[in-house]
Short mmCIF file of all heavy atoms in Angstrom, two decimals:
data_model
loop_
_atom_site.label_atom_id
_atom_site.label_comp_id
_atom_site.label_asym_id
_atom_site.label_seq_id
_atom_site.Cartn_x
_atom_site.Cartn_y
_atom_site.Cartn_z
N MET A 1140 140.74 -12.43 -50.61
CA MET A 1140 140.18 -12.78 -49.29
C MET A 1140 140.41 -14.26 -48.96
O MET A 1140 140.27 -14.67 -47.84
CB MET A 1140 138.66 -12.51 -49.26
CG MET A 1140 138.35 -11.01 -49.09
SD MET A 1140 139.28 -10.20 -47.78
CE MET A 1140 138.12 -10.28 -46.43
N THR A 1141 140.76 -15.03 -50.00
CA THR A 1141 140.96 -16.46 -49.74
C THR A 1141 142.06 -16.67 -48.71
O THR A 1141 141.96 -17.52 -47.84
CB THR A 1141 141.33 -17.19 -51.04
OG1 THR A 1141 140.60 -16.61 -52.11
CG2 THR A 1141 141.01 -18.66 -50.93
N ASP A 1142 143.13 -15.85 -48.83
CA ASP A 1142 144.24 -15.94 -47.89
C ASP A 1142 143.78 -15.83 -46.45
O ASP A 1142 144.20 -16.58 -45.58
CB ASP A 1142 145.25 -14.81 -48.17
CG ASP A 1142 146.35 -15.32 -49.08
OD1 ASP A 1142 146.20 -16.43 -49.62
OD2 ASP A 1142 147.33 -14.60 -49.25
N PHE A 1143 142.91 -14.84 -46.23
CA PHE A 1143 142.44 -14.60 -44.87
C PHE A 1143 141.78 -15.85 -44.28
O PHE A 1143 142.06 -16.26 -43.17
CB PHE A 1143 141.46 -13.43 -44.87
CG PHE A 1143 140.81 -13.21 -43.53
CD1 PHE A 1143 141.50 -12.55 -42.51
CD2 PHE A 1143 139.53 -13.68 -43.29
CE1 PHE A 1143 140.90 -12.37 -41.27
CE2 PHE A 1143 138.93 -13.48 -42.06
CZ PHE A 1143 139.61 -12.83 -41.05
N PHE A 1144 140.92 -16.46 -45.09
CA PHE A 1144 140.20 -17.63 -44.57
C PHE A 1144 141.13 -18.82 -44.39
O PHE A 1144 140.98 -19.59 -43.45
CB PHE A 1144 139.03 -17.97 -45.49
CG PHE A 1144 137.89 -17.00 -45.35
CD1 PHE A 1144 137.55 -16.15 -46.37
CD2 PHE A 1144 137.19 -16.93 -44.15
CE1 PHE A 1144 136.52 -15.24 -46.23
CE2 PHE A 1144 136.15 -16.02 -44.00
CZ PHE A 1144 135.82 -15.17 -45.05
N ASP A 1145 142.09 -18.96 -45.31
CA ASP A 1145 143.06 -20.04 -45.16
C ASP A 1145 143.80 -19.90 -43.84
O ASP A 1145 143.97 -20.85 -43.09
CB ASP A 1145 144.07 -20.00 -46.31
CG ASP A 1145 143.52 -20.72 -47.54
OD1 ASP A 1145 142.43 -21.30 -47.41
OD2 ASP A 1145 144.18 -20.69 -48.58
N ARG A 1146 144.23 -18.66 -43.57
CA ARG A 1146 145.00 -18.44 -42.34
C ARG A 1146 144.12 -18.67 -41.11
O ARG A 1146 144.58 -19.22 -40.12
CB ARG A 1146 145.55 -17.01 -42.35
CG ARG A 1146 146.80 -16.88 -41.54
CD ARG A 1146 147.59 -15.67 -41.95
NE ARG A 1146 147.89 -15.66 -43.38
CZ ARG A 1146 148.21 -14.57 -44.07
NH1 ARG A 1146 148.27 -13.40 -43.48
NH2 ARG A 1146 148.47 -14.64 -45.35
N ALA A 1147 142.87 -18.24 -41.19
CA ALA A 1147 141.97 -18.41 -40.06
C ALA A 1147 141.79 -19.89 -39.74
O ALA A 1147 141.82 -20.29 -38.58
CB ALA A 1147 140.63 -17.76 -40.35
N SER A 1148 141.63 -20.69 -40.76
CA SER A 1148 141.41 -22.11 -40.50
C SER A 1148 142.70 -22.78 -40.05
O SER A 1148 142.69 -23.71 -39.27
CB SER A 1148 140.80 -22.80 -41.72
OG SER A 1148 141.80 -23.28 -42.57
N GLU A 1149 143.84 -22.27 -40.53
CA GLU A 1149 145.14 -22.78 -40.04
C GLU A 1149 145.27 -22.50 -38.55
O GLU A 1149 145.68 -23.35 -37.78
CB GLU A 1149 146.29 -22.08 -40.77
CG GLU A 1149 146.85 -22.89 -41.91
CD GLU A 1149 147.92 -22.10 -42.65
OE1 GLU A 1149 148.71 -21.41 -41.98
OE2 GLU A 1149 147.94 -22.17 -43.89
N LEU A 1150 144.92 -21.27 -38.17
CA LEU A 1150 145.00 -20.88 -36.76
C LEU A 1150 144.08 -21.76 -35.92
O LEU A 1150 144.45 -22.22 -34.84
CB LEU A 1150 144.59 -19.42 -36.60
CG LEU A 1150 145.72 -18.40 -36.71
CD1 LEU A 1150 145.16 -16.99 -36.59
CD2 LEU A 1150 146.77 -18.63 -35.63
N GLU A 1151 142.89 -21.95 -36.42
CA GLU A 1151 141.92 -22.75 -35.68
C GLU A 1151 142.45 -24.16 -35.46
O GLU A 1151 142.36 -24.70 -34.35
CB GLU A 1151 140.61 -22.79 -36.46
CG GLU A 1151 139.42 -23.19 -35.60
CD GLU A 1151 138.21 -23.48 -36.45
OE1 GLU A 1151 137.84 -22.60 -37.23
OE2 GLU A 1151 137.67 -24.58 -36.35
N THR A 1152 143.04 -24.74 -36.50
CA THR A 1152 143.61 -26.09 -36.37
C THR A 1152 144.73 -26.10 -35.34
O THR A 1152 144.80 -26.99 -34.49
CB THR A 1152 144.14 -26.56 -37.74
OG1 THR A 1152 143.09 -26.45 -38.69
CG2 THR A 1152 144.62 -27.99 -37.65
N ALA A 1153 145.59 -25.08 -35.38
CA ALA A 1153 146.70 -25.02 -34.44
C ALA A 1153 146.19 -24.90 -33.01
O ALA A 1153 146.69 -25.58 -32.11
CB ALA A 1153 147.60 -23.84 -34.78
N PHE A 1154 145.18 -24.08 -32.81
CA PHE A 1154 144.61 -23.91 -31.47
C PHE A 1154 144.06 -25.23 -30.96
O PHE A 1154 144.25 -25.60 -29.81
CB PHE A 1154 143.48 -22.87 -31.49
CG PHE A 1154 143.99 -21.47 -31.31
CD1 PHE A 1154 143.57 -20.47 -32.16
CD2 PHE A 1154 144.86 -21.16 -30.28
CE1 PHE A 1154 144.03 -19.17 -32.01
CE2 PHE A 1154 145.32 -19.86 -30.11
CZ PHE A 1154 144.91 -18.87 -30.99
N ARG A 1155 143.35 -25.92 -31.87
CA ARG A 1155 142.72 -27.18 -31.45
C ARG A 1155 143.80 -28.20 -31.07
O ARG A 1155 143.68 -28.89 -30.06
CB ARG A 1155 141.85 -27.71 -32.58
CG ARG A 1155 140.68 -28.50 -32.03
CD ARG A 1155 139.73 -29.03 -33.06
NE ARG A 1155 140.13 -28.89 -34.43
CZ ARG A 1155 139.48 -28.13 -35.32
NH1 ARG A 1155 138.44 -27.45 -34.98
NH2 ARG A 1155 139.88 -28.08 -36.56
N GLU A 1156 144.87 -28.26 -31.87
CA GLU A 1156 145.93 -29.22 -31.58
C GLU A 1156 146.60 -28.89 -30.25
O GLU A 1156 146.93 -29.78 -29.47
CB GLU A 1156 146.96 -29.22 -32.72
CG GLU A 1156 146.44 -30.02 -33.90
CD GLU A 1156 147.33 -29.89 -35.12
OE1 GLU A 1156 148.36 -29.17 -35.04
OE2 GLU A 1156 146.99 -30.47 -36.16
N GLN A 1157 146.80 -27.60 -29.98
CA GLN A 1157 147.41 -27.20 -28.71
C GLN A 1157 146.51 -27.59 -27.55
O GLN A 1157 146.97 -28.06 -26.52
CB GLN A 1157 147.64 -25.69 -28.68
CG GLN A 1157 148.92 -25.29 -29.39
CD GLN A 1157 149.07 -23.78 -29.48
OE1 GLN A 1157 148.35 -23.06 -28.79
NE2 GLN A 1157 149.96 -23.31 -30.31
N ALA A 1158 145.21 -27.37 -27.72
CA ALA A 1158 144.27 -27.69 -26.64
C ALA A 1158 144.27 -29.18 -26.36
O ALA A 1158 144.26 -29.60 -25.20
CB ALA A 1158 142.86 -27.22 -27.04
N ILE A 1159 144.31 -29.98 -27.41
CA ILE A 1159 144.33 -31.43 -27.23
C ILE A 1159 145.62 -31.86 -26.55
O ILE A 1159 145.61 -32.66 -25.61
CB ILE A 1159 144.15 -32.14 -28.59
CG1 ILE A 1159 142.73 -31.89 -29.12
CG2 ILE A 1159 144.40 -33.64 -28.44
CD1 ILE A 1159 142.54 -32.34 -30.55
N ALA A 1160 146.75 -31.29 -26.98
CA ALA A 1160 148.04 -31.65 -26.39
C ALA A 1160 148.06 -31.29 -24.91
O ALA A 1160 148.55 -32.04 -24.08
CB ALA A 1160 149.16 -30.93 -27.13
N ARG A 1161 147.52 -30.11 -24.58
CA ARG A 1161 147.48 -29.66 -23.19
C ARG A 1161 146.62 -30.63 -22.36
O ARG A 1161 146.97 -31.00 -21.26
CB ARG A 1161 146.92 -28.24 -23.14
CG ARG A 1161 147.41 -27.48 -21.95
CD ARG A 1161 147.19 -25.97 -22.07
NE ARG A 1161 146.03 -25.60 -22.83
CZ ARG A 1161 146.04 -24.78 -23.87
NH1 ARG A 1161 147.17 -24.25 -24.26
NH2 ARG A 1161 144.95 -24.47 -24.50
N HIS A 1162 145.49 -31.01 -22.93
CA HIS A 1162 144.58 -31.91 -22.25
C HIS A 1162 145.26 -33.24 -21.95
O HIS A 1162 145.19 -33.76 -20.84
CB HIS A 1162 143.35 -32.13 -23.13
CG HIS A 1162 142.33 -33.03 -22.54
ND1 HIS A 1162 141.56 -32.66 -21.46
CD2 HIS A 1162 141.97 -34.30 -22.85
CE1 HIS A 1162 140.76 -33.67 -21.16
NE2 HIS A 1162 140.98 -34.66 -21.99
N CYS A 1163 145.96 -33.80 -22.94
CA CYS A 1163 146.63 -35.08 -22.75
C CYS A 1163 147.73 -34.97 -21.71
O CYS A 1163 147.89 -35.85 -20.88
CB CYS A 1163 147.24 -35.56 -24.08
SG CYS A 1163 146.00 -36.01 -25.29
N ARG A 1164 148.50 -33.88 -21.72
CA ARG A 1164 149.56 -33.69 -20.73
C ARG A 1164 148.96 -33.63 -19.33
O ARG A 1164 149.51 -34.19 -18.40
CB ARG A 1164 150.34 -32.40 -21.03
CG ARG A 1164 151.57 -32.65 -21.86
CD ARG A 1164 152.59 -31.56 -21.65
NE ARG A 1164 152.05 -30.25 -21.94
CZ ARG A 1164 151.92 -29.74 -23.16
NH1 ARG A 1164 152.32 -30.43 -24.20
NH2 ARG A 1164 151.41 -28.55 -23.35
N THR A 1165 147.85 -32.92 -19.18
CA THR A 1165 147.22 -32.78 -17.88
C THR A 1165 146.86 -34.16 -17.33
O THR A 1165 147.12 -34.47 -16.18
CB THR A 1165 145.94 -31.92 -17.98
OG1 THR A 1165 146.30 -30.68 -18.53
CG2 THR A 1165 145.32 -31.72 -16.61
N ILE A 1166 146.29 -35.00 -18.17
CA ILE A 1166 145.90 -36.33 -17.74
C ILE A 1166 147.14 -37.12 -17.33
O ILE A 1166 147.14 -37.79 -16.30
CB ILE A 1166 145.12 -37.04 -18.86
CG1 ILE A 1166 143.73 -36.40 -18.96
CG2 ILE A 1166 144.98 -38.53 -18.56
CD1 ILE A 1166 142.86 -37.00 -20.02
N GLU A 1167 148.22 -37.02 -18.10
CA GLU A 1167 149.44 -37.75 -17.74
C GLU A 1167 149.97 -37.28 -16.39
O GLU A 1167 150.35 -38.08 -15.55
CB GLU A 1167 150.52 -37.51 -18.80
CG GLU A 1167 150.37 -38.43 -20.00
CD GLU A 1167 151.35 -38.07 -21.08
OE1 GLU A 1167 152.39 -37.47 -20.78
OE2 GLU A 1167 151.06 -38.38 -22.25
N GLN A 1168 149.96 -35.98 -16.17
CA GLN A 1168 150.51 -35.45 -14.92
C GLN A 1168 149.68 -35.85 -13.72
O GLN A 1168 150.20 -36.04 -12.64
CB GLN A 1168 150.61 -33.92 -15.01
CG GLN A 1168 151.83 -33.48 -15.81
CD GLN A 1168 151.76 -32.00 -16.16
OE1 GLN A 1168 150.82 -31.32 -15.78
NE2 GLN A 1168 152.76 -31.53 -16.87
N THR A 1169 148.39 -35.97 -13.90
CA THR A 1169 147.54 -36.32 -12.78
C THR A 1169 147.41 -37.84 -12.62
O THR A 1169 146.75 -38.30 -11.72
CB THR A 1169 146.14 -35.69 -12.93
OG1 THR A 1169 145.65 -36.00 -14.22
CG2 THR A 1169 146.20 -34.20 -12.73
N GLY A 1170 148.06 -38.59 -13.49
CA GLY A 1170 148.12 -40.03 -13.32
C GLY A 1170 146.90 -40.78 -13.79
O GLY A 1170 146.76 -41.95 -13.49
N TYR A 1171 146.02 -40.12 -14.51
CA TYR A 1171 144.81 -40.80 -14.96
C TYR A 1171 145.08 -41.82 -16.06
O TYR A 1171 144.22 -42.61 -16.37
CB TYR A 1171 143.79 -39.78 -15.49
CG TYR A 1171 143.10 -39.02 -14.39
CD1 TYR A 1171 142.27 -37.95 -14.67
CD2 TYR A 1171 143.29 -39.37 -13.07
CE1 TYR A 1171 141.63 -37.24 -13.67
CE2 TYR A 1171 142.66 -38.67 -12.06
CZ TYR A 1171 141.84 -37.60 -12.37
OH TYR A 1171 141.21 -36.91 -11.38
N SER A 1172 146.28 -41.79 -16.63
CA SER A 1172 146.55 -42.72 -17.71
C SER A 1172 146.82 -44.12 -17.18
O SER A 1172 146.83 -45.08 -17.92
CB SER A 1172 147.72 -42.23 -18.55
OG SER A 1172 148.87 -42.10 -17.76
N HIS A 1173 147.06 -44.22 -15.86
CA HIS A 1173 147.33 -45.52 -15.27
C HIS A 1173 146.40 -45.76 -14.08
O HIS A 1173 146.07 -44.83 -13.35
CB HIS A 1173 148.78 -45.62 -14.83
CG HIS A 1173 149.73 -45.71 -15.98
ND1 HIS A 1173 150.03 -44.62 -16.76
CD2 HIS A 1173 150.41 -46.75 -16.50
CE1 HIS A 1173 150.87 -45.00 -17.71
NE2 HIS A 1173 151.12 -46.29 -17.57
N CYS A 1174 146.03 -47.00 -13.90
CA CYS A 1174 145.14 -47.39 -12.81
C CYS A 1174 145.79 -47.06 -11.46
O CYS A 1174 146.96 -47.37 -11.24
CB CYS A 1174 144.86 -48.87 -12.92
SG CYS A 1174 143.93 -49.53 -11.53
N GLU A 1175 145.04 -46.42 -10.58
CA GLU A 1175 145.61 -46.03 -9.29
C GLU A 1175 145.78 -47.24 -8.36
O GLU A 1175 146.49 -47.17 -7.39
CB GLU A 1175 144.74 -44.97 -8.62
CG GLU A 1175 143.37 -45.48 -8.21
CD GLU A 1175 142.57 -44.43 -7.46
OE1 GLU A 1175 143.02 -43.28 -7.36
OE2 GLU A 1175 141.48 -44.79 -6.97
N ASP A 1176 145.11 -48.34 -8.67
CA ASP A 1176 145.22 -49.52 -7.82
C ASP A 1176 146.33 -50.46 -8.27
O ASP A 1176 147.18 -50.85 -7.48
CB ASP A 1176 143.89 -50.28 -7.80
CG ASP A 1176 142.87 -49.60 -6.89
OD1 ASP A 1176 143.20 -48.52 -6.36
OD2 ASP A 1176 141.76 -50.14 -6.75
N CYS A 1177 146.34 -50.84 -9.55
CA CYS A 1177 147.31 -51.83 -10.01
C CYS A 1177 148.40 -51.22 -10.88
O CYS A 1177 149.40 -51.87 -11.15
CB CYS A 1177 146.61 -52.96 -10.76
SG CYS A 1177 145.94 -52.48 -12.35
N GLY A 1178 148.22 -49.97 -11.33
CA GLY A 1178 149.25 -49.32 -12.12
C GLY A 1178 149.24 -49.69 -13.59
O GLY A 1178 150.08 -49.23 -14.34
N ASP A 1179 148.30 -50.52 -13.99
CA ASP A 1179 148.19 -50.87 -15.40
C ASP A 1179 147.69 -49.66 -16.19
O ASP A 1179 146.93 -48.86 -15.66
CB ASP A 1179 147.18 -52.01 -15.59
CG ASP A 1179 147.83 -53.37 -15.45
OD1 ASP A 1179 149.04 -53.42 -15.17
OD2 ASP A 1179 147.12 -54.38 -15.61
N PRO A 1180 148.12 -49.55 -17.45
CA PRO A 1180 147.59 -48.45 -18.27
C PRO A 1180 146.08 -48.59 -18.45
O PRO A 1180 145.60 -49.71 -18.65
CB PRO A 1180 148.31 -48.60 -19.62
CG PRO A 1180 149.37 -49.61 -19.42
CD PRO A 1180 149.03 -50.41 -18.20
N ILE A 1181 145.37 -47.49 -18.36
CA ILE A 1181 143.93 -47.51 -18.62
C ILE A 1181 143.72 -47.26 -20.10
O ILE A 1181 144.30 -46.34 -20.67
CB ILE A 1181 143.22 -46.42 -17.78
CG1 ILE A 1181 143.47 -46.66 -16.29
CG2 ILE A 1181 141.72 -46.43 -18.07
CD1 ILE A 1181 142.92 -45.55 -15.41
N ALA A 1182 142.91 -48.09 -20.74
CA ALA A 1182 142.69 -47.98 -22.18
C ALA A 1182 142.17 -46.59 -22.53
O ALA A 1182 141.28 -46.07 -21.85
CB ALA A 1182 141.68 -49.03 -22.64
N PRO A 1183 142.75 -45.98 -23.58
CA PRO A 1183 142.30 -44.64 -23.98
C PRO A 1183 140.79 -44.58 -24.23
O PRO A 1183 140.14 -43.59 -23.90
CB PRO A 1183 143.08 -44.38 -25.27
CG PRO A 1183 144.27 -45.25 -25.18
CD PRO A 1183 143.84 -46.47 -24.40
N ALA A 1184 140.22 -45.65 -24.76
CA ALA A 1184 138.78 -45.66 -25.04
C ALA A 1184 138.00 -45.56 -23.74
O ALA A 1184 136.97 -44.89 -23.67
CB ALA A 1184 138.42 -46.95 -25.78
N ARG A 1185 138.50 -46.22 -22.70
CA ARG A 1185 137.82 -46.17 -21.40
C ARG A 1185 137.92 -44.76 -20.81
O ARG A 1185 136.95 -44.24 -20.28
CB ARG A 1185 138.48 -47.17 -20.44
CG ARG A 1185 137.96 -47.09 -19.02
CD ARG A 1185 138.40 -48.28 -18.19
NE ARG A 1185 138.18 -48.05 -16.77
CZ ARG A 1185 136.99 -48.07 -16.18
NH1 ARG A 1185 135.93 -48.31 -16.90
NH2 ARG A 1185 136.86 -47.83 -14.89
N ARG A 1186 139.11 -44.15 -20.95
CA ARG A 1186 139.27 -42.79 -20.42
C ARG A 1186 138.40 -41.80 -21.18
O ARG A 1186 137.89 -40.85 -20.60
CB ARG A 1186 140.74 -42.37 -20.49
CG ARG A 1186 141.54 -43.00 -19.36
CD ARG A 1186 142.94 -42.44 -19.33
NE ARG A 1186 143.76 -43.03 -20.38
CZ ARG A 1186 144.62 -42.35 -21.12
NH1 ARG A 1186 144.79 -41.07 -20.93
NH2 ARG A 1186 145.33 -42.95 -22.03
N ALA A 1187 138.26 -42.05 -22.48
CA ALA A 1187 137.42 -41.16 -23.30
C ALA A 1187 135.96 -41.30 -22.89
O ALA A 1187 135.21 -40.33 -22.85
CB ALA A 1187 137.60 -41.47 -24.78
N ALA A 1188 135.56 -42.55 -22.59
CA ALA A 1188 134.16 -42.80 -22.23
C ALA A 1188 133.86 -42.33 -20.81
O ALA A 1188 132.75 -41.90 -20.52
CB ALA A 1188 133.85 -44.29 -22.38
N LEU A 1189 134.87 -42.41 -19.94
CA LEU A 1189 134.68 -42.04 -18.54
C LEU A 1189 135.75 -41.04 -18.13
O LEU A 1189 136.72 -41.40 -17.47
CB LEU A 1189 134.81 -43.28 -17.65
CG LEU A 1189 133.68 -44.29 -17.68
CD1 LEU A 1189 134.11 -45.56 -16.95
CD2 LEU A 1189 132.45 -43.72 -17.01
N PRO A 1190 135.58 -39.77 -18.49
CA PRO A 1190 136.60 -38.78 -18.14
C PRO A 1190 136.80 -38.74 -16.63
O PRO A 1190 135.83 -38.70 -15.88
CB PRO A 1190 136.03 -37.46 -18.66
CG PRO A 1190 135.00 -37.85 -19.66
CD PRO A 1190 134.46 -39.18 -19.22
N GLY A 1191 138.05 -38.81 -16.20
CA GLY A 1191 138.33 -38.73 -14.78
C GLY A 1191 138.39 -40.08 -14.09
O GLY A 1191 138.64 -40.14 -12.90
N CYS A 1192 138.17 -41.17 -14.84
CA CYS A 1192 138.26 -42.48 -14.20
C CYS A 1192 139.71 -42.74 -13.81
O CYS A 1192 140.63 -42.35 -14.50
CB CYS A 1192 137.74 -43.59 -15.11
SG CYS A 1192 138.77 -43.92 -16.54
N THR A 1193 139.92 -43.36 -12.66
CA THR A 1193 141.27 -43.55 -12.15
C THR A 1193 141.62 -45.02 -12.00
O THR A 1193 142.69 -45.34 -11.51
CB THR A 1193 141.43 -42.86 -10.78
OG1 THR A 1193 140.43 -43.36 -9.91
CG2 THR A 1193 141.29 -41.35 -10.92
N ARG A 1194 140.71 -45.91 -12.36
CA ARG A 1194 140.98 -47.34 -12.25
C ARG A 1194 140.76 -48.04 -13.58
O ARG A 1194 139.93 -47.60 -14.38
CB ARG A 1194 140.06 -47.99 -11.22
CG ARG A 1194 140.37 -47.62 -9.79
CD ARG A 1194 139.53 -48.46 -8.85
NE ARG A 1194 139.73 -48.12 -7.46
CZ ARG A 1194 138.92 -47.32 -6.76
NH1 ARG A 1194 137.89 -46.78 -7.34
NH2 ARG A 1194 139.18 -47.08 -5.50
N CYS A 1195 141.45 -49.16 -13.78
CA CYS A 1195 141.18 -49.98 -14.95
C CYS A 1195 139.85 -50.71 -14.74
O CYS A 1195 139.29 -50.69 -13.64
CB CYS A 1195 142.33 -50.97 -15.19
SG CYS A 1195 142.44 -52.26 -13.95
N VAL A 1196 139.39 -51.36 -15.80
CA VAL A 1196 138.08 -52.02 -15.73
C VAL A 1196 138.04 -53.04 -14.59
O VAL A 1196 137.08 -53.09 -13.82
CB VAL A 1196 137.78 -52.73 -17.08
CG1 VAL A 1196 136.43 -53.40 -17.03
CG2 VAL A 1196 137.83 -51.73 -18.21
N ILE A 1197 139.09 -53.84 -14.47
CA ILE A 1197 139.11 -54.92 -13.47
C ILE A 1197 139.06 -54.34 -12.06
O ILE A 1197 138.25 -54.77 -11.23
CB ILE A 1197 140.37 -55.78 -13.67
CG1 ILE A 1197 140.29 -56.47 -15.03
CG2 ILE A 1197 140.49 -56.80 -12.55
CD1 ILE A 1197 141.61 -57.10 -15.46
N CYS A 1198 139.92 -53.35 -11.76
CA CYS A 1198 139.95 -52.79 -10.43
C CYS A 1198 138.64 -52.05 -10.12
O CYS A 1198 138.18 -52.05 -8.98
CB CYS A 1198 141.13 -51.86 -10.26
SG CYS A 1198 142.71 -52.74 -10.29
N GLN A 1199 138.06 -51.42 -11.13
CA GLN A 1199 136.79 -50.72 -10.91
C GLN A 1199 135.71 -51.73 -10.52
O GLN A 1199 134.93 -51.49 -9.59
CB GLN A 1199 136.38 -49.97 -12.17
CG GLN A 1199 135.15 -49.08 -11.98
CD GLN A 1199 135.39 -48.00 -10.93
OE1 GLN A 1199 136.37 -47.28 -10.99
NE2 GLN A 1199 134.51 -47.90 -9.94
N GLN A 1200 135.71 -52.88 -11.18
CA GLN A 1200 134.71 -53.91 -10.84
C GLN A 1200 134.95 -54.43 -9.44
O GLN A 1200 134.02 -54.63 -8.67
CB GLN A 1200 134.80 -55.06 -11.86
CG GLN A 1200 134.13 -54.71 -13.18
CD GLN A 1200 134.33 -55.79 -14.23
OE1 GLN A 1200 135.09 -56.74 -14.04
NE2 GLN A 1200 133.67 -55.64 -15.36
N LEU A 1201 136.22 -54.64 -9.07
CA LEU A 1201 136.55 -55.10 -7.72
C LEU A 1201 136.11 -54.06 -6.69
O LEU A 1201 135.55 -54.39 -5.65
CB LEU A 1201 138.05 -55.35 -7.59
CG LEU A 1201 138.57 -56.58 -8.35
CD1 LEU A 1201 140.09 -56.63 -8.27
CD2 LEU A 1201 137.98 -57.86 -7.79
N ALA A 1202 136.38 -52.78 -7.01
CA ALA A 1202 136.05 -51.71 -6.07
C ALA A 1202 134.54 -51.59 -5.87
O ALA A 1202 134.07 -51.27 -4.78
CB ALA A 1202 136.62 -50.38 -6.58
N GLU A 1203 133.80 -51.89 -6.95
CA GLU A 1203 132.34 -51.80 -6.84
C GLU A 1203 131.74 -53.06 -6.23
O GLU A 1203 130.56 -53.12 -5.95
CB GLU A 1203 131.75 -51.56 -8.23
CG GLU A 1203 131.98 -50.14 -8.72
CD GLU A 1203 131.56 -49.96 -10.18
OE1 GLU A 1203 131.09 -50.92 -10.78
OE2 GLU A 1203 131.74 -48.85 -10.68
N GLY A 1204 132.56 -54.09 -6.09
CA GLY A 1204 132.11 -55.32 -5.48
C GLY A 1204 131.23 -56.09 -6.41
O GLY A 1204 130.24 -56.68 -6.01
ZN1 ZN B 418 143.76 -51.74 -12.10
#
């Protein structure tokens, strides 16, 4: 039965990696990886903290006044 569980966890890992890859591609295609105002790359940590953010820290502060 060990084989079965090994394969199950292999599958689970593969699924997770595919899901992450798909997620990253989606963000690239929608342009969230770069600031919509200045075009600078948005730090991955910022995108992780604020899913869907479209501006870098500086432009966001400017936009908020
Ligand atoms: Zn910006």
Side-chain angles (χ1 to χ4, degrees):
M1140 282 313 264
T1141 323
D1142 265 11
F1143 174 79
F1144 286 112
D1145 276 355
R1146 207 159 305 159
S1148 89
E1149 262 176 40
L1150 270 178
E1151 199 191 305
T1152 305
F1154 273 132
R1155 210 178 9 244
E1156 282 172 1
Q1157 278 174 14
I1159 292 170
R1161 207 164 31 234
H1162 180 71
C1163 292
R1164 266 204 304 280
T1165 303
I1166 288 180
E1167 277 174 24
Q1168 281 168 1
T1169 50
Y1171 285 172
S1172 59
H1173 289 74
C1174 173
E1175 66 176 7
D1176 283 3
C1177 70
D1179 272 2
I1181 301 174
R1185 173 168 167 74
R1186 282 187 283 139
L1189 288 169
C1192 69
T1193 56
R1194 289 188 182 99
C1195 69
V1196 181
I1197 296 168
C1198 291
Q1199 187 61 51
Q1200 282 175 353
L1201 289 174
E1203 287 172 0

